[in-house]
Amino acid sequence: MTERTLVQQLASTPDGPVRVAGWVETVRDQKKVQFIVLRDESGAVQLVHPRTDVGENPVDDPIAAEISALTHGTFLSVEGDLKADERVKLGGLEVKIQSLDVAGAAFPEPPITAESSIDKRLDWRFLDLRRPEQNLIARVQTTFEHALRTWWIDNDFLEIHTPKLMASASESRAELFEVGYFETTAYLAQSPQFFKQMAQPAGFGKVFEIAPAFRADPSFTSRHATEFISVDSEFSWIDSHEDVMAVHEQLLVAGLTAVEAKHGEAIQELFGIDLQVPTAPFPRIPLAEVRRIVAEGGYEIPRADGDLDPEAERRISEWVKANHGSDFVFVTDYDSSIRPFYHQRHEGDGSITKSYDLIYNGAEISTGAQREHRVDVLIEQAKEKGLDPEELEFYLDFFRHGVPPHGGFGMGLARVIMLMLGLPSIREVIYLFRGPNRLQP
């Protein structure tokens, strides 16, 4: 590999010879001196070249000609002398160029600018990703995921990898992508729900997965995608959905603590967000109470099914922030009519499930629940939902051979990062977005 010093390492590097490599962000081609702002994956540095081909005694200066010909976005490697100089605004240091080597020249006119629309930028995503904000988003996501995995592993969870090709629907036949599979039809998994539950009768106890999921949802909102990364966990021997919420909030505290410690200053600088690490336990409010609070605030939820809409989520989040000082709130005890058949219901009141949605900074990021583990109850609840138990036989078999009480959750990674950084759309945080009208790049 090319030996080079990353820009972020220059501050701790002694003055003297260095080699840096990256792409050209700007060129200032002045009469007596030339400047290049070179950016790599860790930051930007100023390169300087005093010209020798000007003045009273000009000398041939091939480097000056090379710099004059550079285009924005060109990748190059530079050898030069590092020197600390507090007058330099960009990091208080610069590199005096001794030689440069163009590795990949860019066309003179870039196809996008800072003012381009999100759709135009997505067309040229590989260029859009060069922005410092996009680099930070990727680093935040990496740190966040690593912290989640660390917490899970430290707490004796097993990582599993469930298949994304399924013989039948994972939850319902709605929002499914069909794909040809030899002489039959397969479906892209909406979630790993059934497979992570399968780990419970297998005796795995506590499992997690971070992996793609697919929804054939023709939605164009700022928080939906047809392919997304789902953060899932399932575990045995719970007493209620309270145990699931306790795990969920501890996991998020660990993730946000790691992000704030490593990237808090950069997030403030690039996004203007003072990232707050939450304190557990998060507030918990039953859905019926949330509906009352929102109504008393002057908003009537237009949905006929009793579920919350985005405006109601935003309003209850504002209420919780004002009254509890929390960016998170668990909305609990959802009506069974708007929950899947496998959510366990409260004893003595079959109209309410032991489930929750987790709302973060005004939007839902996750659904969790205690699962129904009694096969006879599962069959009846599936029938209530209009499902044919015969089509669920492979799933129902899990419960015919012994399964402990269990529960878990699924969480959208892109939504969490979007809300964490105060961004307007998940299109900004997904590496390559997939939606109803986007399959490229």
Side-chain angles (χ1 to χ4, degrees):
M1 293 183 66
T2 299
E3 291 186 9
R4 62 189 175 113
T5 301
L6 292 175
V7 169
Q8 68 179 5
Q9 298 169 335
L10 293 175
S12 59
T13 300
D15 287 3
V18 293
R19 184 177 188 177
V20 291
W23 66 93
V24 175
E25 193 164 83
T26 58
V27 175
R28 300 204 314 275
D29 195 358
Q30 301 176 357
K31 288 184 178 180
K32 294 184 178 181
V33 64
Q34 297 167 307
F35 297 96
I36 302 171
V37 174
L38 186 79
R39 182 172 291 279
D40 69 11
E41 61 269 35
S42 69
V45 63
Q46 177 172 287
L47 314 179
V48 61
H49 175 65
R51 301 186 69 147
T52 64
D53 59 348
V54 294
E56 296 181 359
N57 300 298
V59 177
D60 185 45
D61 191 347
I63 290 179
E66 289 183 280
I67 293 174
S68 296
L70 289 175
T71 52
H72 174 87
T74 290
F75 278 78
L76 68 156
S77 174
V78 174
E79 292 184 355
D81 292 319
L82 175 67
K83 183 179 180 180
D85 187 342
E86 61 184 16
R87 296 172 300 176
V88 179
K89 294 180 180 180
L90 191 59
L93 48 80
E94 64 182 7
V95 176
K96 184 178 179 181
I97 300 172
Q98 298 298 330
S99 66
L100 62 82
D101 176 56
V102 173
F107 279 14
E109 294 297 326
I112 56 172
T113 67
E115 290 73 37
S116 296
S117 69
I118 178 64
D119 283 332
K120 182 69 172 178
R121 289 190 285 112
L122 289 181
D123 288 341
W124 297 91
R125 186 59 164 165
F126 64 94
L127 296 177
D128 186 47
L129 291 169
R130 290 182 183 178
R131 293 187 294 124
E133 294 87 350
Q134 288 296 331
N135 188 284
L136 180 57
I137 289 169
R139 293 181 184 278
V140 166
Q141 179 176 292
T142 299
T143 298
F144 184 69
E145 288 190 57
H146 179 68
L148 301 190
R149 278 195 171 90
T150 299
W151 188 91
W152 273 316
I153 292 168
D154 286 348
N155 286 275
D156 203 29
F157 281 68
L158 300 177
E159 184 169 13
I160 59 174
H161 299 288
T162 62
K164 305 311 166 195
L165 289 169
M166 304 181 66
S168 60
S170 54
E171 297 183 26
S172 71
R173 291 208 173 275
E175 301 181 352
L176 280 171
F177 285 113
E178 294 185 2
V179 295
Y181 194 74
F182 300 104
E183 296 181 0
T184 185
T185 298
Y187 304 92
L188 295 181
Q190 296 170 306
S191 85
Q193 182 60 47
F194 288 177
F195 294 124
K196 64 180 180 174
Q197 280 190 266
M198 190 179 78
Q200 309 315 303
F204 280 24
K206 299 182 289 187
V207 299
F208 72 91
E209 180 179 38
I210 302 177
F214 305 86
R215 298 281 171 92
D217 181 1
S219 176
F220 293 88
T221 75
S222 62
R223 57 183 185 174
H224 286 90
T226 53
E227 179 181 356
F228 59 96
I229 299 300
S230 186
V231 178
D232 283 88
S233 191
E234 201 80 15
F235 34 96
S236 293
W237 300 112
I238 67 170
D239 293 323
S240 76
H241 56 313
E242 278 290 339
D243 295 327
V244 182
M245 288 186 282
V247 167
H248 202 163
E249 64 194 2
Q250 291 175 57
L251 187 70
L252 283 167
V253 168
L256 283 160
T257 297
V259 170
E260 195 283 328
K262 191 167 185 178
H263 307 292
E265 291 184 7
I267 290 171
Q268 175 62 47
E269 178 183 350
L270 292 181
F271 296 108
I273 297 291
D274 183 16
L275 188 62
Q276 300 295 312
V277 176
T279 301
F282 301 165
R284 290 145 162 77
I285 309 175
L287 176 61
E289 179 71 5
V290 169
R291 289 193 290 246
R292 183 189 65 78
I293 292 170
V294 170
E296 288 181 353
Y299 181 68
E300 292 295 331
I301 301 171
R303 293 185 60 144
D305 60 5
D307 202 353
L308 302 181
D309 68 351
E311 178 62 17
E313 292 174 357
R314 186 185 66 80
R315 286 177 176 246
I316 193 60
S317 192
E318 289 179 349
W319 186 90
V320 168
K321 183 68 173 178
N323 290 274
H324 296 276
S326 177
D327 294 327
F328 291 88
V329 57
F330 286 115
V331 179
T332 66
D333 302 338
Y334 270 71
D335 301 354
S336 58
S337 60
I338 53 178
R339 285 311 208 203
F341 75 95
Y342 52 80
H343 281 196
Q344 189 169 109
R345 302 176 184 182
H346 280 276
E347 294 81 3
D349 187 356
S351 67
I352 304 296
T353 60
K354 297 180 179 180
S355 70
Y356 66 84
D357 275 1
L358 178 55
I359 297 174
Y360 176 33
N361 282 338
E364 177 259 316
I365 60 170
S366 177
T367 295
Q370 178 171 4
R371 318 304 186 188
E372 180 54 67
H373 62 282
R374 295 163 294 187
V375 67
D376 55 336
V377 178
L378 268 175
I379 291 171
E380 290 306 311
Q381 291 182 178
K383 290 178 179 177
E384 285 181 23
K385 296 288 184 179
L387 300 175
D388 183 355
E390 290 187 5
E391 295 187 1
L392 296 168
E393 280 299 295
F394 91 96
Y395 174 69
L396 296 173
D397 278 346
F398 302 166
F399 306 91
R400 293 183 172 119
H401 298 275
V403 61
H406 62 279
F409 61 85
M411 181 170 69
L413 177 63
R415 283 197 194 181
V416 176
I417 303 299
M418 174 187 76
L419 296 163
M420 184 191 303
L421 301 179
L423 293 169
S425 172
I426 60 170
R427 291 167 175 80
E428 296 283 2
V429 303
I430 294 177
Y431 182 67
L432 289 173
F433 173 75
R434 290 292 178 261
N437 62 354
R438 182 168 291 278
L439 272 174
Q440 290 183 325

